[in-house]
Structures are given as C-alpha cells and as structure tokens.
C-alpha cells in the first residue's frame, strides 16, 4: 500500500523508533506529505486526495486508540503532515479534534525517548517524524490554540524535555522548534492558569542549559526563559 495505515504497522509499535519495520512506514508517509504540499495542479486535486484518504486514516486512529502501545510512526507522520499542509476548511474541525490526540501522544513519546534516539543511529530517522510533529504543533498553537487547550498541561512538560536535551548537533533544528513552541504556548488565550502552573519548572529547567555548547541554542534558551520570567 502507498499509505502507512495498515495493521502490520501496529504490530511494529512496541518501541517504534527502534524498530526498522516501523520506521519503514515513515517513507510512504513522507511521500504522501510531499504530495499534499504541492502548490500547483488542478483546483480540487487536494480535496479529492483528502476525501479518499481521510476515512482510512480516521479508521486507523480509532483502532490504535484502543492500544496502549506508542503511536504508530506511519499514521503519526500522516496526521502531522495533514495538520501542516491541509487547511482547517478542508479537514473539518471535528476531524482535526480527532487527530490531535495522536499528535500529542507522539509528542509525549518522543520527549520521553530522546535518550534512545541519541544512543541508536537507526533511531535518528525518527527525528524526521519529530520535526513534522513540532511543525504541526507550531501551526496549531498559532492558528487554532483552542484545539489543544485541554492538552496544555501535557504539552508544556513534553516541550520542556525536548527543549533541554543535550543531544547531538543533528537534533538542533528540532530543539529550536521545541523552544519556539514553548514560547508560543505562553500566549495561549484560554490556558493562562495552566501556563502559570508550569512557570517555575520551565524557568528552572531552561536556566540549567543557558551554557549549552551551541550558540544559537543558548540565545534561544535565554530568550524563551525571559518570556517565561515575565509572565
């Protein structure tokens, strides 16, 4: 199948970023995302693709919701690609709300397993999935933050873990996006109390890495910490 939505993938999810079979599903998901990001073509081709693939994705997400395993990397990547590349009008508000729990579950999974990625060369391929997860979250926090209001208490600790990791240089782009999200979430219009509850923890954790070996990370950390200090 050209789409990473099948039951075989679910079987590869005990620790997806270490499982080559699981990582293989990221490739067709990336190809699908490339198709969605094309800007030219006929006026309704994107709508037709979404109309045909969205029911398959939603069915898969419902099946995976009953599992205690981490999110399947293929369908997780497709969720993030759709949230990044497709407008709210075309996806529909109800579908977006059904997709967001998978996105957040993926965020949590990666935040808790960065040490695995750092220690295993095969697992670094999972950084591509993390990149698109963070890109989708950035878009949601900017455009429709109300869609993730109930998840803010989970999002902030996960972003903090992703922001304060001392991983290799290849992780730097993801770390910068995580720091950006950590800044954006402070402006959430409906989660002021949840944000303030995390203030002390966030500022303390960021203070620990102000001497990060990367200059660009140090600058970003100082900026984001100052934003949180002034809440």
């Amino acid at each position: 199948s050209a789409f990473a939505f099948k039951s075989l993938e679910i079987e590869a999810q005990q620790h997806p970023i270490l499982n080559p079979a699981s990582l293989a599903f990221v490739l067709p998901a990336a190809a699908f995302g490339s198709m969605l990001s094309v800007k030219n073509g006929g006026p309704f081709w994107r709508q037709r693709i979404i109309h045909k693939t969205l029911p398959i994705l939603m069915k898969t997400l419902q099946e995976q919701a009953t599992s205690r395993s981490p999110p399947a990397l293929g369908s997780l990547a497709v969720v993030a690609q759709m949230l990044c590349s497709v407008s709210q009008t075309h996806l529909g508000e109800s579908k977006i709300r059904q997709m967001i729990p998978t996105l957040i579950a993926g965020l949590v999974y990666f935040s808790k397993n960065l040490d695995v990625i750092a220690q295993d060369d095969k697992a670094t391929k999972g950084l591509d999935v993390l990149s698109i997860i963070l890109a989708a979250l950035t878009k949601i926090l900017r455009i429709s933050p109300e869609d993730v209001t109930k998840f803010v208490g989970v999002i902030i600790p996960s972003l903090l873990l992703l922001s304060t990791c001392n991983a290799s240089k290849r992780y730097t782009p993801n770390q910068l996006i995580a720091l950006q999200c950590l800044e954006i979430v402070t402006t959430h219009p409906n989660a002021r109390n949840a944000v303030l509850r995390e203030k002390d923890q966030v500022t303390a954790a960021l203070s620990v890495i102000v001497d990060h070996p990367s200059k660009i990370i140090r600058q970003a950390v100082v900026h984001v910490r100052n934003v949180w200090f002034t809440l």
Side-chain angles (χ1 to χ4, degrees):
S1 170
F3 302 104
F5 303 144
K6 302 304 181 182
S7 58
L8 176 61
E9 185 197 13
I10 300 175
E11 297 173 4
Q13 294 310 303
Q14 296 307 312
H15 213 331
I17 56 176
L18 289 180
N19 192 321
S22 177
L23 289 169
F25 285 92
V26 176
L27 298 177
F32 182 65
S34 297
M35 292 171 61
L36 289 178
S37 63
V38 172
K39 297 300 182 183
N40 54 9
F44 302 113
W45 69 268
R46 186 179 284 107
Q47 291 94 315
R48 288 196 294 270
I49 290 177
I50 296 168
H51 176 73
K52 288 182 175 296
T53 58
L54 197 54
I56 303 172
L57 176 62
M58 301 314 298
K59 180 181 178 181
T60 301
L61 296 184
Q62 290 173 0
E63 292 172 355
Q64 293 177 3
T66 62
S67 171
R68 294 187 178 182
S69 298
L73 289 188
S75 49
L76 173 59
V78 171
V79 164
Q81 295 280 8
M82 279 195 166
L83 289 173
C84 274
S85 303
V86 182
S87 69
Q88 288 178 295
T89 302
H90 292 155
L91 281 180
E93 187 64 30
S94 64
K95 292 293 189 297
I96 291 174
R97 291 184 182 275
Q98 292 177 62
M99 295 163 70
I100 284 177
T102 297
L103 184 77
I104 302 303
L107 180 75
V108 172
Y109 173 74
F110 275 95
S111 71
K112 292 182 176 180
N113 289 281
L114 279 178
D115 56 334
V116 176
I117 295 176
Q119 295 170 12
D120 193 298
D121 289 338
K122 296 190 297 294
T124 57
K125 295 180 181 179
L127 290 178
D128 294 337
V129 181
L130 177 58
S131 296
I132 194 67
I133 290 172
L134 289 170
L137 182 61
T138 302
K139 177 182 176 181
I140 292 169
L141 288 173
R142 287 288 194 194
I143 297 177
S144 55
E146 64 279 357
D147 289 339
V148 294
T149 299
K150 67 179 181 180
F151 297 108
V152 168
V154 175
I155 290 172
I156 293 175
S158 297
L159 289 174
L160 190 58
L161 288 172
L162 294 170
S163 298
T164 56
C165 174
N166 278 315
S168 62
K169 289 183 179 179
R170 56 191 163 191
Y171 177 66
T172 297
N174 285 319
Q175 192 166 4
L176 288 172
I177 302 175
L179 285 163
Q180 181 184 15
C181 288
L182 200 57
E183 176 185 0
I184 297 171
V185 77
T186 62
T187 64
H188 195 296
N190 304 319
R192 179 72 174 177
N193 291 337
V195 170
L196 290 177
R197 280 196 298 270
E198 302 290 341
K199 178 180 178 179
D200 291 344
Q201 180 181 358
V202 171
T203 53
L206 292 178
S207 295
V208 172
I209 62 163
V210 291
D211 59 349
H212 192 280
S214 168
K215 180 180 179 180
I216 192 171
I217 294 294
R218 290 197 302 272
Q219 292 174 333
V221 166
V222 170
H223 172 73
V224 176
R225 185 185 62 167
N226 288 342
V227 171
W228 277 83
F229 264 138
T230 56
L231 290 177

